[in-house]
Amino acid sequence: MIKPFSIDIPQSALDDLAARLDNTRLPAALPGDDWDTGVPVSWLAGLVDHWRTGYDWRKAEAELNAYPQFTTEIDGQLIHFLHVTSPEPGALPLVLTHGWPGSIVEFLDLIGPLTDPVAHGGQAADAFHLVIPSLPGFGFSGPISDTGWTRERIGRTWAVLMERLGYDRYGVQGGDIGGAVSPEVARAARDHVVGVHTNGGPSLPPYPLSDEELKSLTPLEQDRIGRIGQFLRDEMGYISIQSTRPQTLAYGLVDSPVGQLAWIMDKFRAWTHPTDVLPEAIISKDRLLTNAMIYWLTGTAGSAAYVGYAQQGPWGETKENSGVPTAVLAFAHDVTIRRYAEQDNTITRWTDVDHGGHFAALEEPDLLISDVREFFRSLR
């Protein structure tokens, strides 16, 4: 059964948030107060002040509620999703899947151009019906009621969702966790998925590589392997915590809005491009806060961490190739490499871009929209 859903946060929850923000206790700044030791106190204090005095949740809530939303139960889990149909009769259904620490908020700037391209300077033939689910355990699809929410299980769940909506032919798109889930939808429903589009790649390269294999790579590919190594050395801490102690972490994040904000903003600074630019120069403060609010208001920091990183399978694992045409839009921050992605995906389009970061829909919406349109034109 599919039920209509509308976001309606009680005023008491917003009053509680305001009181917590008013009584925030910030830590003493570490020497230098820079991003090398985490989110700087001086920078976060400014964002918290905007959260207290300048940010309007009700405006954001109305923006989200402008789109039809629904919930349904699949495999024992409540699934929340946006379902925005196009005015064009020949529109192709498309599933958009977010990642961590993102949410459905990532896709707000894509909805209009993808569903109603004519109104945004495009062609009617490029129209999509959009299905935008919240990942199990994330936001209004949380919390989770059982274990085992791997990307494969989520892929099967999305296939059931699309069948339940009456869609027989559709495409899938995503980045981060969504980039890993999207190929799994194709593996689960290869007779129904016409194409897979990912930003950042459908799979990660193996690591480490032998010296001989490393020498066979192009300079761009060598740079990506080098950045994988740097990530494993300098940034693995959050994965280690979230994949082993998500419950312990959740106490701090669910109880402290500033703790939740800092945990998320650490990654928005590290994963937007270029990294030496502050996140709000790339993505607006209000959009950053609305994304954080989805986690705060639903109290899903723990379940999102649990689903996002308690995944089985080694780094660079090779999987069955679904045979479904697959496109990759690789931005400057991304580390995917075509020769390895082709081992378990049928790559028919690959585009390397020398700018842009991990949050493609938020950072480079126009480029992402254009690439999605071009890829699916021959697959409709």
Side-chain angles (χ1 to χ4, degrees):
M1 179 183 297
I2 295 175
K3 300 179 180 179
F5 178 85
S6 182
I7 302 172
D8 185 15
I9 300 301
Q11 185 59 41
S12 59
L14 301 182
D15 293 342
D16 173 72
L17 171 62
R20 290 170 186 263
L21 293 176
D22 284 340
N23 291 288
T24 296
R25 185 175 70 166
L26 294 172
L30 295 175
D33 195 29
D34 57 32
W35 292 92
D36 289 343
T37 53
V39 180
V41 175
S42 57
W43 178 81
L44 192 69
L47 187 57
V48 170
D49 184 64
H50 178 71
W51 200 0
R52 290 176 55 251
T53 63
Y55 174 77
D56 184 352
W57 165 255
R58 292 303 186 198
K59 180 180 178 181
E61 186 179 68
E63 182 181 11
L64 288 163
N65 282 336
Y67 302 108
Q69 298 174 65
F70 304 87
T71 60
T72 190
E73 185 176 310
I74 302 175
D75 198 10
Q77 177 64 37
L78 183 71
I79 300 296
H80 163 260
F81 62 97
L82 277 63
H83 184 198
V84 188
T85 57
S86 171
E88 303 297 340
L92 177 70
L94 179 67
V95 184
L96 301 178
T97 307
H98 66 86
W100 182 92
S103 66
I104 57 171
V105 172
E106 291 184 47
F107 298 117
L108 288 176
D109 292 334
L110 272 58
I111 294 175
L114 290 179
T115 59
D116 194 2
V118 174
H120 294 80
Q123 303 174 13
D126 288 328
F128 295 91
H129 300 307
L130 295 182
V131 177
I132 309 175
S134 297
L135 286 165
F138 286 67
F140 299 103
S141 286
I144 48 173
S145 56
D146 66 354
T147 62
W149 280 103
T150 63
R151 57 184 66 94
E152 293 85 0
R153 184 178 176 187
I154 299 171
R156 295 191 299 270
T157 299
W158 282 190
V160 171
L161 175 61
M162 294 303 280
E163 181 181 13
R164 192 168 292 180
L165 290 171
Y167 291 134
D168 185 61
R169 295 180 72 255
Y170 55 91
V172 291
Q173 198 286 327
D176 191 74
I177 298 173
V181 166
S182 295
E184 297 301 336
V185 185
R187 292 185 176 101
R190 64 190 68 196
D191 294 334
H192 301 281
V193 177
V194 300
V196 177
H197 185 286
T198 71
N199 52 277
S203 57
L204 293 169
Y207 187 89
L209 300 179
S210 67
D211 290 342
E212 181 178 356
E213 187 167 6
L214 192 59
K215 290 177 182 178
S216 73
L217 302 182
T218 68
L220 176 62
E221 293 169 339
Q222 290 177 351
D223 174 69
R224 289 177 178 175
I225 291 294
R227 285 189 288 114
I228 290 173
Q230 183 180 14
F231 174 85
L232 293 174
R233 289 191 303 273
D234 301 338
E235 287 194 58
M236 275 292 289
Y238 81 99
I239 292 181
S240 298
I241 294 172
Q242 292 200 156
S243 62
T244 60
R245 293 295 184 270
Q247 186 68 74
T248 302
L249 176 67
Y251 292 106
L253 302 189
V254 171
D255 191 55
S256 168
V258 173
Q260 175 70 88
L261 181 65
W263 189 251
I264 289 176
M265 293 315 304
D266 184 81
K267 296 310 162 203
F268 270 88
R269 179 7 171 87
W271 297 347
T272 48
H273 186 270
T275 55
D276 58 354
V277 174
L278 292 174
E280 71 269 26
I282 301 171
I283 305 166
S284 74
K285 287 183 180 180
D286 284 355
R287 192 68 96 209
L288 292 169
L289 288 170
T290 297
N291 179 70
M293 285 286 279
I294 296 294
Y295 287 82
W296 171 255
L297 294 172
T298 60
T300 51
S303 59
Y306 183 76
V307 170
Y309 291 100
Q311 300 284 349
Q312 298 177 352
W315 181 288
E317 176 188 20
T318 300
K319 311 188 80 172
E320 177 190 7
N321 190 333
S322 69
V324 175
T326 299
V328 175
L329 180 58
F331 288 95
H333 177 273
D334 297 322
V335 295
T336 188
I337 294 176
R338 180 167 186 164
R339 67 181 72 186
Y340 301 113
E342 287 181 327
Q343 293 177 2
D344 50 7
N345 301 276
T346 301
I347 306 296
T348 60
R349 178 183 176 88
W350 188 284
T351 307
D352 289 312
V353 183
D354 64 0
H355 57 276
H358 188 69
F359 304 98
L362 289 168
E363 297 181 61
E364 300 286 345
D366 292 342
L367 182 52
L368 180 59
I369 289 165
S370 175
D371 205 71
V372 167
R373 287 173 174 171
E374 291 180 24
F375 172 63
F376 282 104
R377 277 177 188 152
S378 64
L379 301 174
R380 289 176 177 267

